[in-house]
Amino acid sequence: MTELSESQDDPFIPHLAALAVVDDRGVVVGWNRRAQELLGHPETAVLGRPAFEILVDPGDLTAAKEAAASCRRAGGWSGMLNVRHRDGRLVEMGLRAHALSRGDRTREWFLAGALAADVLEWQRDRAVLHGLYRRCPIGLVVHGPDLRLLRVNRAIERFSGVPAARFRGLPTGCFLVPDDARTAVDRVRQVMETGRPMVYSEQFVRLEWDPGRERVAMVSSFPMEDASGRILGVAEMIEDITERHRAQRRLALLDQAGSRIGTTLDVAETARELAEVMVPHLADHASVDLLQPVTRGEEVTRALAGPMVRVGACSVGAQQAGPPHPQGERVEFAPDTPQARCLAEGRPALEPVLPPDWFSTEGRHGAHTPDLGVHSLIVVPLAARGLVLGVMTLWRSRRPDPFEADDLTLAQELASRAAVAIDNARRFTQHQQAAFTLQSSLLLRAVPDQSAVEVALRYLPASAAPGLGGDWFDVIPLSGARVALVVGDVVGRGIHAAATMGRLRTAVHTLASLDLEPDEVLSRLDDLVNLLAAEQEASGERPVGEQVVGATCLYAVYDPVAGRCSVARAGHPPPVVTAPDGEAAPLDLPAGPPLGLGGLPFETRDVELAEGSLLCLYTNGLIGERHIDADLGLTKLCTALTRPAEALERTCQAVVDSLVPTQPTDDVALLIARTRRLPPDDVASWRLPLEPASAARARALTSAKLSEWGLEHLAFTTELIVSELVTNVYRYASGPVTLRLIRERCLVCEVSDTSHTAPHLRRARTTDEGGRGLFLVAQMTERWGTRYTRDGKTVWTEQPLAGTLA
């Protein structure tokens, strides 16, 4: 015999239990249909007969009598016994007996039995039910059809802090704040009405007496039905997943931060990204304040004293005021503020609960914290490579729960990642500034004084491409009131391209000083580019994407006396010429090979330009953007240049507005020149024969013209210069002599002949009778030199109009 549970409350389901009544003598006086179904004995066969005789096998008689004796002593019994079936086999059954007393004091015994397997199943179900209500860590709530609570288990008691007995009969959603209660009621009502379960729905839970603490619950709701399918209520399984939800939210925030912070190498943008990531996932308000040197890309020292700049700020809600001091403004923290301590010590600060008067305390205004019902604060240093770059401040005002230690850990992790990105951006800014300083020092800074053209310039660096470009332009005054206009583009990007650009620009200046023809200048530049490439090859310098392999260039010389422009190009886009009547078109020039190919010829073309014409020189970034066709860009350029009479700066800006996007992908160099003509009265030219008397004739002509121009104070020195130069032609050169005087910013004196022999400046000995002519010329002029043409050479001098040199 095996005893069942000692509890007398374990129910036998009536329609499944076999029932019998035995009198005090052991005779069967009651028998139900279920007993007949289980044991096969009809009612007529057992009523009035002893139970031991019919139902007990002789082998089990001793156990049956012991059970009967125990039942009489205790007034009841339960346990397992073998009962004999009508066909003789034994059926193991679970039995329960308890006494029945009649009014005449006759005692009978009520027996209830079921198959042992069914009893064990009922017992397991009872244990499961008992475990759900008393030991299960997951909450269980049973709602009635009237949306009132029938029963809750002890997990709900621990979750809510309310005894389970107090829930019985209360409405659904009791003890929750109104918003959370409505959500709970709507869910139960929906399951009740549809009969469909709702599984694994998350709900934020705040209790009425503790609204500042927000929990997250995982709720699964399902209907309870009877055998006919009628819904008797709704049961809910409720699991507290607050910590899991917070962990998932922190992981999601870390993942989001990894993809959003540091997307650009811009200090301010990285700081703004950090502030935006923090709100609203971790804080209601966030600000990022950096040391001022950091925002400028400068090095940071360990001395943390200095002004701060609010670089990033973000707050929840469009109508919610954010932290004071908008982005870009300077901020200063009082010494006793958490921010100041964080900067000084490099350690974070956590204020889980701020007193109500915290912001009104004297001296707190220096903390620049929003007085918006803020109740919790975190300040984290932005430290990278052992240096504190700034601080990040987080506040909570809308969210009722205070910051915790885990929030501080998360803020530190995000701040650490952002600090590295900010420092990388700072270093990039520093390098870029150094590179742009180098580039700007190599570019033309101001248009030199000259009378040949009016010039407008634009240089627009690429905003998206990495590194520096090699575009450049130049305006170089030449002898004879002429001017050289240059535009070039070095292939590649970076410091190497910028440095090569500087070397080429210097070379152009040197070659221009020799007064070479444009094609000869390009040939010399071609040699130089080949030399630079050979040097790089020999030194093994091969920076990826930066190695200079060539360049393009356009070189033009404009003569305001003749109104003629001589142009040659080396693989560069052709210039655009706008006539005074507004007709603009590209100049038809031989393209020429790019610089660096070596050995291929260049060709100069002379073009007559009327006074007031526009000559536009540019690099391919102006017309060769990726999103437009080069021919279309050239057409748009011609359209923008069809108003030559407008102010040149306005025309230059119109070209930029028409062709250059907001963020160009390539550097753009643009030079627009409006031609001028020297008045005929300012130029005098004479052709002299090659004879000794020509020097005296030259002096006389010069003296008369200077008197006409009102430059008598220059007559003595100019006559001496002219006499020496003409005499040199007579002695050492050939052909007729041409004397020309030009009055512009200075007085220009030119003597031309058909010889290519260069005059040399030498120091004569004291015993020499000659050889001092050019020495005297050099002493009496501001500049002098020789330029060569196809027909010979010209020796020229320049004197300031104010008077002779000291």
Side-chain angles (χ1 to χ4, degrees), residues 394-406:
L394 306 178
W395 301 278
R396 279 187 181 174
S397 59
R398 285 190 172 186
R399 294 178 59 171
D401 51 319
F403 286 119
E404 300 176 348
D406 288 344

PDB file of all heavy atoms in Angstrom, residues 394-406:
ATOM      1  N   LEU A 394      25.200  65.012 -19.136  1.00  0.00           N
ATOM      2  CA  LEU A 394      23.887  64.410 -19.394  1.00  0.00           C
ATOM      3  C   LEU A 394      22.950  64.759 -18.247  1.00  0.00           C
ATOM      4  O   LEU A 394      23.352  64.724 -17.085  1.00  0.00           O
ATOM      5  CB  LEU A 394      24.006  62.891 -19.531  1.00  0.00           C
ATOM      6  CG  LEU A 394      25.021  62.349 -20.556  1.00  0.00           C
ATOM      7  CD1 LEU A 394      25.044  60.842 -20.521  1.00  0.00           C
ATOM      8  CD2 LEU A 394      24.685  62.838 -21.957  1.00  0.00           C
ATOM      9  N   TRP A 395      21.699  65.090 -18.585  1.00  0.00           N
ATOM     10  CA  TRP A 395      20.675  65.375 -17.582  1.00  0.00           C
ATOM     11  C   TRP A 395      19.420  64.575 -17.871  1.00  0.00           C
ATOM     12  O   TRP A 395      19.162  64.198 -19.017  1.00  0.00           O
ATOM     13  CB  TRP A 395      20.291  66.858 -17.607  1.00  0.00           C
ATOM     14  CG  TRP A 395      21.382  67.834 -17.353  1.00  0.00           C
ATOM     15  CD1 TRP A 395      21.864  68.229 -16.145  1.00  0.00           C
ATOM     16  CD2 TRP A 395      22.132  68.564 -18.327  1.00  0.00           C
ATOM     17  NE1 TRP A 395      22.859  69.154 -16.303  1.00  0.00           N
ATOM     18  CE2 TRP A 395      23.049  69.382 -17.637  1.00  0.00           C
ATOM     19  CE3 TRP A 395      22.118  68.613 -19.720  1.00  0.00           C
ATOM     20  CZ2 TRP A 395      23.925  70.232 -18.280  1.00  0.00           C
ATOM     21  CZ3 TRP A 395      22.994  69.457 -20.362  1.00  0.00           C
ATOM     22  CH2 TRP A 395      23.894  70.248 -19.652  1.00  0.00           C
ATOM     23  N   ARG A 396      18.675  64.321 -16.826  1.00  0.00           N
ATOM     24  CA  ARG A 396      17.346  63.724 -16.963  1.00  0.00           C
ATOM     25  C   ARG A 396      16.322  64.627 -16.294  1.00  0.00           C
ATOM     26  O   ARG A 396      16.508  65.054 -15.145  1.00  0.00           O
ATOM     27  CB  ARG A 396      17.295  62.324 -16.325  1.00  0.00           C
ATOM     28  CG  ARG A 396      17.869  61.242 -17.228  1.00  0.00           C
ATOM     29  CD  ARG A 396      17.670  59.846 -16.670  1.00  0.00           C
ATOM     30  NE  ARG A 396      18.256  58.848 -17.560  1.00  0.00           N
ATOM     31  CZ  ARG A 396      18.331  57.552 -17.282  1.00  0.00           C
ATOM     32  NH1 ARG A 396      17.867  57.095 -16.118  1.00  0.00           N
ATOM     33  NH2 ARG A 396      18.854  56.709 -18.136  1.00  0.00           N
ATOM     34  N   SER A 397      15.241  64.894 -17.013  1.00  0.00           N
ATOM     35  CA  SER A 397      14.160  65.709 -16.459  1.00  0.00           C
ATOM     36  C   SER A 397      12.806  65.065 -16.738  1.00  0.00           C
ATOM     37  O   SER A 397      11.966  64.984 -15.851  1.00  0.00           O
ATOM     38  CB  SER A 397      14.199  67.122 -17.058  1.00  0.00           C
ATOM     39  OG  SER A 397      14.077  67.070 -18.475  1.00  0.00           O
ATOM     40  N   ARG A 398      12.599  64.591 -17.958  1.00  0.00           N
ATOM     41  CA  ARG A 398      11.335  63.940 -18.293  1.00  0.00           C
ATOM     42  C   ARG A 398      11.283  62.508 -17.776  1.00  0.00           C
ATOM     43  O   ARG A 398      10.265  62.077 -17.246  1.00  0.00           O
ATOM     44  CB  ARG A 398      11.136  63.958 -19.811  1.00  0.00           C
ATOM     45  CG  ARG A 398      10.725  65.314 -20.365  1.00  0.00           C
ATOM     46  CD  ARG A 398      10.327  65.164 -21.818  1.00  0.00           C
ATOM     47  NE  ARG A 398       9.747  66.388 -22.343  1.00  0.00           N
ATOM     48  CZ  ARG A 398       9.207  66.477 -23.556  1.00  0.00           C
ATOM     49  NH1 ARG A 398       9.185  65.421 -24.354  1.00  0.00           N
ATOM     50  NH2 ARG A 398       8.700  67.622 -23.974  1.00  0.00           N
ATOM     51  N   ARG A 399      12.329  61.785 -17.973  1.00  0.00           N
ATOM     52  CA  ARG A 399      12.365  60.400 -17.491  1.00  0.00           C
ATOM     53  C   ARG A 399      12.453  60.414 -15.975  1.00  0.00           C
ATOM     54  O   ARG A 399      13.344  61.059 -15.400  1.00  0.00           O
ATOM     55  CB  ARG A 399      13.557  59.662 -18.083  1.00  0.00           C
ATOM     56  CG  ARG A 399      13.452  59.471 -19.583  1.00  0.00           C
ATOM     57  CD  ARG A 399      14.661  58.790 -20.140  1.00  0.00           C
ATOM     58  NE  ARG A 399      14.885  57.483 -19.556  1.00  0.00           N
ATOM     59  CZ  ARG A 399      15.775  56.609 -19.998  1.00  0.00           C
ATOM     60  NH1 ARG A 399      16.511  56.907 -21.046  1.00  0.00           N
ATOM     61  NH2 ARG A 399      15.941  55.453 -19.414  1.00  0.00           N
ATOM     62  N   PRO A 400      11.560  59.707 -15.309  1.00  0.00           N
ATOM     63  CA  PRO A 400      11.533  59.805 -13.851  1.00  0.00           C
ATOM     64  C   PRO A 400      12.661  59.053 -13.154  1.00  0.00           C
ATOM     65  O   PRO A 400      13.046  59.414 -12.042  1.00  0.00           O
ATOM     66  CB  PRO A 400      10.174  59.200 -13.497  1.00  0.00           C
ATOM     67  CG  PRO A 400       9.866  58.265 -14.622  1.00  0.00           C
ATOM     68  CD  PRO A 400      10.454  58.888 -15.847  1.00  0.00           C
ATOM     69  N   ASP A 401      13.172  57.986 -13.780  1.00  0.00           N
ATOM     70  CA  ASP A 401      14.181  57.196 -13.091  1.00  0.00           C
ATOM     71  C   ASP A 401      15.526  57.907 -13.128  1.00  0.00           C
ATOM     72  O   ASP A 401      15.905  58.504 -14.133  1.00  0.00           O
ATOM     73  CB  ASP A 401      14.306  55.799 -13.720  1.00  0.00           C
ATOM     74  CG  ASP A 401      14.479  55.859 -15.222  1.00  0.00           C
ATOM     75  OD1 ASP A 401      13.800  56.685 -15.858  1.00  0.00           O
ATOM     76  OD2 ASP A 401      15.298  55.100 -15.769  1.00  0.00           O
ATOM     77  N   PRO A 402      16.268  57.867 -12.047  1.00  0.00           N
ATOM     78  CA  PRO A 402      17.563  58.544 -11.995  1.00  0.00           C
ATOM     79  C   PRO A 402      18.629  57.748 -12.733  1.00  0.00           C
ATOM     80  O   PRO A 402      18.459  56.578 -13.061  1.00  0.00           O
ATOM     81  CB  PRO A 402      17.857  58.615 -10.492  1.00  0.00           C
ATOM     82  CG  PRO A 402      17.160  57.421  -9.932  1.00  0.00           C
ATOM     83  CD  PRO A 402      15.908  57.234 -10.756  1.00  0.00           C
ATOM     84  N   PHE A 403      19.745  58.405 -12.981  1.00  0.00           N
ATOM     85  CA  PHE A 403      20.896  57.709 -13.555  1.00  0.00           C
ATOM     86  C   PHE A 403      21.429  56.695 -12.545  1.00  0.00           C
ATOM     87  O   PHE A 403      21.417  56.920 -11.334  1.00  0.00           O
ATOM     88  CB  PHE A 403      22.013  58.690 -13.902  1.00  0.00           C
ATOM     89  CG  PHE A 403      21.742  59.516 -15.132  1.00  0.00           C
ATOM     90  CD1 PHE A 403      21.659  60.897 -15.050  1.00  0.00           C
ATOM     91  CD2 PHE A 403      21.582  58.908 -16.364  1.00  0.00           C
ATOM     92  CE1 PHE A 403      21.432  61.659 -16.176  1.00  0.00           C
ATOM     93  CE2 PHE A 403      21.338  59.669 -17.501  1.00  0.00           C
ATOM     94  CZ  PHE A 403      21.263  61.049 -17.400  1.00  0.00           C
ATOM     95  N   GLU A 404      21.913  55.569 -13.080  1.00  0.00           N
ATOM     96  CA  GLU A 404      22.486  54.521 -12.255  1.00  0.00           C
ATOM     97  C   GLU A 404      23.944  54.301 -12.634  1.00  0.00           C
ATOM     98  O   GLU A 404      24.453  54.889 -13.597  1.00  0.00           O
ATOM     99  CB  GLU A 404      21.690  53.227 -12.418  1.00  0.00           C
ATOM    100  CG  GLU A 404      20.224  53.357 -12.029  1.00  0.00           C
ATOM    101  CD  GLU A 404      19.449  52.071 -12.292  1.00  0.00           C
ATOM    102  OE1 GLU A 404      20.012  51.182 -12.977  1.00  0.00           O
ATOM    103  OE2 GLU A 404      18.308  51.967 -11.828  1.00  0.00           O
ATOM    104  N   ALA A 405      24.582  53.419 -11.883  1.00  0.00           N
ATOM    105  CA  ALA A 405      25.994  53.127 -12.151  1.00  0.00           C
ATOM    106  C   ALA A 405      26.180  52.541 -13.546  1.00  0.00           C
ATOM    107  O   ALA A 405      27.165  52.840 -14.236  1.00  0.00           O
ATOM    108  CB  ALA A 405      26.542  52.169 -11.087  1.00  0.00           C
ATOM    109  N   ASP A 406      25.208  51.712 -14.000  1.00  0.00           N
ATOM    110  CA  ASP A 406      25.308  51.142 -15.341  1.00  0.00           C
ATOM    111  C   ASP A 406      25.208  52.239 -16.406  1.00  0.00           C
ATOM    112  O   ASP A 406      25.854  52.149 -17.463  1.00  0.00           O
ATOM    113  CB  ASP A 406      24.209  50.106 -15.555  1.00  0.00           C
ATOM    114  CG  ASP A 406      24.462  48.830 -14.775  1.00  0.00           C
ATOM    115  OD1 ASP A 406      25.608  48.631 -14.333  1.00  0.00           O
ATOM    116  OD2 ASP A 406      23.514  48.042 -14.577  1.00  0.00           O
TER     117      ASP A 406
END
